Amino acid sequence: MSNVVDTLMEMGFSKQRVEQAVKATGCNDVQNVMEWLLANEEEVTGSEEPVKEEQVNPEAAGENSASPQTQPESGNIEETPAVAKSIKCDDCGKLFDTNEAVEFHATKTGHQSFSESTEEKRPLTDEEKREQLAKIEAKLKARRLEREAKEKEEALLREKNRIKSGKELLEAKKKHEELEMKKIIDQRKKEKEEERLARQRIKEQIEQDKLARKAKFGNQSEPPTPAPTPAAAPVAIRPQTSYSEVKLQIRLPDGSSVTQSFGAKEPLSAVRLFIEMKRNNTQEPFNLMTNFPKKVFQSDDYDKPLESLDLAPTAVLIVKKI
């Protein structure tokens, strides 16, 4: 309500009239209150207390005019003091009818010079009413545009903040993904290095086994071939073929199979080391066996060459869990 009263007081209406208009309309809308004030100008003005004029007795007035003795001399005529009907701002010339309006004007404009005036603040004409109403509408429109511009600016600022927050969130997410990817790459590099070292250890072990087998079996001479007895009938003897390589198909417990070539002189333990490497260093114990002929290799068979175990030139080995 104070905003409506201040606005209409700034336009020249008295505080008493504005409060009466607000009470009569029952709302705080400046335009509605202004329309009521303009439509009820006489009613509002009539509600104010009129200036009391001094009553004059007509008979006494007639007697005074008829009697020359009561007429004052021309040099002693007393002038009736003027009655102040409004308060005038000496800085801008604006008239006010209440002290509240004067105080509001002084606070609003900073004017400090005021004086009483005999000029009566006349009611607004239809033209002035239209001008005041146009001013009010212009002020309301300006305030509405200002409010809309402010709201638009705030909405734009919120949108910018939202976009900025979204970009920061995306950057943080991207940085997190890069760190996770770097961790995965480092882990894979570490696993590959460990796998390479494990293969290298297995190769070194195989080489050591080869050297040990060479030292053990290298100096042994093949037993002499017995001469055929003359009494025996001639029998076709199948010559013994010597193989330098053995090709094995290894069937793992998970159903997959691996084909690998080994030296014919390599022991069965080299095949076992190869299987352990393929099983990713699994610690579960296992045995090696063949189906044709069915045979399960024992611990003393792992030191024997593959050719002596009837695995040359090709064979199928089955890995069986214990």
Side-chain angles (χ1 to χ4, degrees):
M1 178 176 175
S2 60
N3 293 334
V4 178
V5 175
D6 294 343
T7 302
L8 294 174
M9 285 178 66
E10 184 181 356
M11 296 177 62
F13 294 100
S14 65
K15 184 177 181 180
Q16 180 182 359
R17 293 171 63 192
V18 173
E19 290 178 349
Q20 182 180 0
V22 171
K23 185 176 180 181
T25 57
C27 66
N28 292 327
D29 185 76
V30 176
Q31 187 171 357
N32 293 336
V33 176
M34 179 67 181
E35 291 177 356
W36 191 93
L37 284 170
L38 297 177
N40 300 274
E41 181 72 23
E42 296 180 358
E43 178 182 348
V44 177
T45 306
S47 63
E48 299 177 355
E49 295 182 359
V51 178
K52 295 182 178 179
E53 298 181 358
E54 184 179 359
Q55 296 181 357
V56 181
N57 190 347
E59 295 179 357
E63 292 177 358
N64 291 335
S65 60
S67 176
Q69 296 179 356
T70 59
Q71 294 293 333
E73 297 180 0
S74 60
N76 297 327
I77 297 176
E78 296 180 1
E79 296 181 357
T80 304
V83 178
K85 297 182 179 181
S86 62
I87 302 174
K88 184 178 182 180
C89 177
D90 297 334
D91 295 329
C92 62
K94 195 171 183 179
L95 297 176
F96 305 96
D97 53 0
T98 62
N99 292 329
E100 290 81 0
V102 173
E103 293 177 0
F104 178 80
H105 179 73
T107 304
K108 187 75 174 178
T109 61
H111 297 168
Q112 300 295 332
S113 179
F114 298 91
S115 61
E116 293 182 348
S117 175
T118 57
E119 298 180 27
E120 184 177 3
K121 188 175 180 181
R122 58 185 178 82
L124 298 176
T125 63
D126 293 340
E127 183 67 22
E128 289 174 341
K129 291 178 181 180
R130 286 193 293 270
E131 290 179 0
Q132 293 288 351
L133 185 59
K135 288 181 181 179
I136 291 177
E137 292 177 352
K139 286 186 178 181
L140 292 176
K141 184 178 180 181
R143 290 183 181 178
R144 184 175 65 253
L145 293 176
E146 182 181 356
R147 184 179 66 253
E148 291 176 355
K150 186 176 180 181
E151 291 176 354
K152 186 176 180 181
E153 183 179 356
E154 291 176 353
L156 183 61
L157 182 60
R158 287 194 299 269
E159 182 66 16
K160 288 182 179 180
N161 292 334
R162 187 187 67 80
I163 294 174
K164 183 178 179 181
S165 301
K167 288 182 178 179
E168 292 177 353
L169 182 62
L170 289 176
E171 290 177 0
K173 185 178 180 181
K174 184 177 179 181
K175 187 175 181 180
H176 178 71
E177 291 177 353
E178 290 177 354
L179 292 175
E180 291 296 326
M181 183 62 66
K182 185 177 180 181
K183 289 180 181 179
I184 293 173
I185 292 174
D186 293 341
Q187 183 66 23
R188 288 180 179 176
K189 286 182 178 179
K190 183 178 179 181
E191 291 175 356
K192 287 182 178 180
E193 182 65 18
E194 292 177 353
E195 186 177 354
R196 185 186 67 81
L197 294 175
R199 276 201 291 261
Q200 184 176 354
R201 288 194 298 269
I202 292 174
K203 288 181 180 180
E204 291 175 356
Q205 183 66 34
I206 292 174
E207 291 297 328
Q208 292 177 3
D209 292 343
K210 286 182 179 180
L211 293 176
R213 288 195 304 274
K214 186 175 181 181
K216 183 177 180 180
F217 301 103
N219 297 327
Q220 292 182 359
S221 58
E222 296 182 359
T225 303
T229 56
V235 179
I237 300 175
R238 183 179 178 181
Q240 185 177 1
T241 306
S242 177
Y243 299 99
S244 62
E245 186 179 70
V246 176
K247 189 173 183 180
L248 297 177
Q249 182 183 10
I250 305 169
R251 296 181 181 177
L252 301 175
D254 59 359
S256 61
S257 61
V258 180
T259 302
Q260 183 65 26
S261 297
F262 298 89
K265 300 294 184 181
E266 292 187 28
L268 187 59
S269 59
V271 179
R272 185 179 183 89
L273 288 174
F274 174 78
I275 295 171
E276 290 177 352
M277 183 180 67
K278 285 296 181 180
R279 297 181 68 204
N280 296 326
N281 299 326
T282 304
Q283 300 298 326
E284 296 179 357
F286 63 91
N287 285 331
L288 298 178
M289 61 176 292
T290 59
N291 273 338
F292 304 102
K294 190 172 183 65
K295 178 180 179 181
V296 179
F297 295 99
Q298 304 301 323
S299 58
D300 55 346
D301 294 328
Y302 288 99
D303 293 332
K304 297 178 181 180
L306 298 178
E307 61 181 359
S308 65
L309 297 174
D310 297 332
L311 298 177
T314 60
V316 177
L317 277 181
I318 300 175
V319 180
K320 184 178 180 181
K321 293 181 181 180
I322 301 176

